Amino acid sequence: MPTPASLPTGWIDGAAHKGAGPQHTVLNPATDDPVATLALADAGDVDIAVASARAAQHDWGTATPAERSEVLHRYAAVLRDHVDELAAEEVSHTGRSIRLATEFDLPGSIDNVDFFAGVARNLEGKASGEYSGDHTSSIRHEPAGVVGSISPWNYPLQMAIWKVIPALAAGCSIVLKPAEQTPLTTLSLARLATEAGLPDGVFNVLVGTGADVGSAISGHPGVDLVTFTGSTAVGRKVAEQAAKNGTRVQLELGGKAPFVVFDDADLDAAIHGAVAGSLINAGQDCTAATRAIVAPNLYDDFVAGVAEVMASVKVGDPTDLATDMGSLSSHAHRDKVAGMVDRAVAAGARLVTGGVRPDGPGCFYPPTLLADVAEDAEIYRDEVFGPVLAVSKFTDDDDAIRRANDTVYGLAASAWTRDLYRAQRAGREIKAGCVWINDHIPIISEMPHGGVKASGFGNDMSTYSLDEYLTIKHVMSDITAVAQKPWHRTVFSG
Ligand code: NAD
């Protein structure tokens, strides 16, 4: 067994920071071996990190867009030089397959950095002008200030990038807390940012628990904006903590994506799309296809086809390039997923494939297909966050759209059809931050990722996410040089 690495508690003011909190071991969920040990941060460390971010914010926020862009370009280049190391770290603390890390996490994250290096120089707004006739009005987009950010364990590297990079492009400084189960790549990102020339204190990281460090960040009076990615339940707690100081929040929360297969769909495409969309990252993806809602004429063939393709998915050692799907993130999480599947079967769902925990070390769980799932079943309504697809049948198009929207969540959805009008209707009527037509999962830096309903509000990625990290100021300058203005008559007439 390799000796676990000894990690710092965080990265503050451009250097490793050692906290005095309890010792924590990061495990490899594919082997159960320890990967790293570190001392967790506490609320006192949050004060130090916020002070560092505050001290650095003014100079970074007043650097020219070109200067900020140049640092981000250099950062992208440094990340490119470290892709192998970052991918190996990402695999070691998540159990995800190396193919997912090298073909999805790393290229997507680096593309995001490249994209925001350009966006940093493209702030847009309303034209300055004499809207009142007596004044020149202009709009200033200014950095929101110090950002406190909290990220989840499912895509540690990508979620950190989605939070940090638009903040940096906007001129904010940041204190980021990754999930304590998966801190390796976030610590590396901060160290590599310093290597790329990001000024000290602009990007700080602290590893700690949600109860201690997450709540201290979200309730910190020195934080100007709290951005959070994680579960809906915790997101609401974060919003409550931030509300005590009246701090602005951005929340990227859970999902329960419908996957609607209309009666004219390309069945082969829908089958392959459903397997890829439900099993990506072993289903630990907020946009994963979790509820397939299928037309009666295609139902049996869809279920049989998905079962066949799922059976071909190779589950195992995530470091092996031949592996399709690695492990889940922890034993506790696997117990949660398995419990939901067991209860679904007990409640009458048909287990078509999977559903049995393998023996041996690691938190593996097989691709699992449940058919004939009732609309009121827990597995149909609640987030599973595992490699599980629940299938049910709709009656007609109205019923399909109704079922797609019959969820508290609204993060992502897909519709499968060859009919232009059906596709347009799905895009218009399904309530979600993103509706894919004849695909499920692809994301791109230029387009936003965000939710509605219990999936949160605000956006990651795209120029829309830059807006999350800016404030808008109106500067209105009198151009008449007249002492008594016409509008003064509303206050005094003498
Ligand atoms: P989680 O909500 O349990 O934890 C997320 C983060 O919040 C972690 O860093 C955790 O330590 C911290 N936290 C826990 N309690 C806290 C508290 N009281 N105050 C402040 N912070 C606290 O989520 P998770 O299990 O790590 O991630 C899975 C969830 O994230 C799923 O619900 C998934 O849908 C969601 N997610 C959403 C998106 C999106 O873009 N909408 C992306 C990825 C994941």
Side-chain angles (χ1 to χ4, degrees):
M1 188 196 307
T3 316
S6 174
L7 295 180
T9 303
W11 191 262
I12 299 181
D13 213 14
H17 174 83
K18 191 158 167 21
Q23 204 64 17
H24 171 69
T25 302
V26 179
L27 296 174
N28 181 333
T31 60
D32 298 334
D33 292 334
V35 173
T37 57
L38 56 97
L40 290 173
D42 61 20
D45 297 309
V46 175
D47 289 338
I48 297 169
V50 170
S52 157
R54 177 64 59 200
Q57 201 278 315
H58 176 268
D59 285 359
W60 180 246
T62 52
T64 65
E67 287 165 342
R68 288 202 289 268
S69 171
E70 195 189 328
V71 172
L72 289 176
H73 277 304
R74 278 206 304 272
Y75 190 32
V78 169
L79 294 179
R80 271 192 192 92
D81 289 343
H82 290 83
V83 282
D84 292 342
E85 163 196 333
L86 289 165
E89 282 184 350
E90 194 74 338
V91 170
S92 74
H93 62 179
T94 60
R96 70 189 346 90
S97 76
I98 185 75
R99 282 216 315 270
L100 185 68
T102 53
E103 296 179 19
F104 184 65
D105 294 302
L106 264 304
S109 297
I110 294 171
D111 184 66
N112 232 254
V113 182
D114 277 332
F115 173 75
F116 281 103
V119 167
R121 303 183 71 171
N122 274 297
L123 292 186
E124 290 184 352
K126 216 171 161 68
S128 295
E130 288 65 51
Y131 295 94
S132 77
D134 291 342
H135 310 81
T136 297
S137 285
S138 60
I139 291 291
R140 294 178 58 80
H141 286 276
E142 296 182 349
V146 173
V147 178
S149 195
I150 299 162
S151 59
W153 49 255
N154 67 329
Y155 287 105
L157 180 100
Q158 284 206 69
M159 294 305 104
I161 289 282
W162 287 11
K163 291 291 176 241
V164 171
I165 302 303
L168 298 185
C172 296
S173 55
I174 189 160
V175 176
L176 171 66
K177 186 201 95 65
E180 66 274 25
Q181 301 91 329
T182 53
L184 274 70
T185 39
T186 307
L187 285 166
S188 293
L189 286 177
R191 175 175 49 79
L192 295 173
T194 301
E195 193 178 315
L198 186 72
D200 294 348
V202 173
F203 176 10
N204 307 279
V205 168
L206 274 180
V207 182
T209 64
D212 289 341
V213 175
S215 59
I217 289 175
S218 40
H220 202 288
V223 166
D224 300 302
L225 164 68
V226 175
T227 65
F228 173 83
T229 302
S231 62
T232 297
V234 174
R236 287 177 178 168
K237 278 191 204 162
V238 165
E240 271 177 37
Q241 287 150 356
K244 288 182 193 143
N245 299 313
T247 307
R248 197 171 137 188
V249 292
Q250 180 235 23
L251 302 176
E252 301 284 350
L253 309 178
K256 189 74 196 171
F259 183 103
V260 183
V261 184
F262 288 102
D263 64 17
D264 64 334
D266 177 337
L267 184 63
D268 198 36
I271 287 168
H272 285 87
V275 175
S278 61
L279 300 189
I280 184 162
N281 199 23
Q284 301 165 118
D285 183 308
C286 50
T287 60
T290 59
R291 288 182 298 142
I293 299 167
V294 184
N297 64 321
L298 298 181
Y299 188 82
D300 290 343
D301 289 342
F302 178 83
V303 169
V306 169
E308 191 185 328
V309 180
M310 274 189 173
S312 73
V313 170
K314 293 188 201 70
V315 182
D317 176 3
T319 63
D320 184 345
L321 270 174
T323 294
D324 297 317
M325 199 176 99
S327 73
L328 297 192
S329 68
S330 68
H331 285 281
H333 185 59
R334 179 174 70 165
D335 289 347
K336 183 202 149 197
V337 171
M340 285 183 82
V341 171
D342 293 348
R343 288 193 294 279
V345 174
R350 178 161 55 97
L351 182 64
V352 185
T353 187
V356 179
R357 265 182 262 209
D359 294 332
C363 313
F364 293 95
Y365 195 78
T368 297
L369 180 65
L370 292 163
D372 310 340
V373 176
E375 272 192 85
D376 60 355
E378 174 199 37
I379 203 110
Y380 186 89
R381 309 205 74 81
D382 296 348
E383 198 175 27
V384 189
F385 229 54
V388 182
L389 182 64
V391 192
S392 64
K393 202 183 287 182
F394 66 76
T395 52
D396 57 20
D397 284 16
D398 288 347
D399 188 42
I401 301 282
R402 180 193 64 74
R403 282 169 177 260
N405 285 330
D406 184 20
T407 169
V408 296
Y409 296 108
L411 190 59
S414 66
W416 297 73
T417 175
R418 289 186 256 218
D419 181 310
L420 178 62
Y421 296 99
R422 269 183 170 152
Q424 289 182 336
R425 179 181 178 196
R428 200 170 58 242
E429 293 187 14
I430 296 179
K431 292 180 175 44
C434 172
V435 178
W436 289 286
I437 306 294
N438 295 328
D439 209 340
H440 194 112
I441 290 296
I443 45 172
I444 40 172
S445 297
E446 290 83 350
M447 287 291 144
H449 169 91
V452 295
K453 297 161 67 182
S455 295
F457 48 82
N459 286 295
D460 282 334
M461 309 218 288
S462 81
T463 52
Y464 295 103
S465 84
L466 193 75
D467 295 342
E468 305 285 345
Y469 296 92
L470 294 167
T471 59
I472 293 170
K473 183 190 280 176
H474 173 203
V475 179
M476 193 175 198
S477 311
D478 172 63
I479 56 170
T480 63
V482 171
Q484 194 168 342
K485 323 281 190 215
W487 75 268
H488 289 179
R489 283 178 51 74
T490 59
V491 183
F492 58 92
S493 56

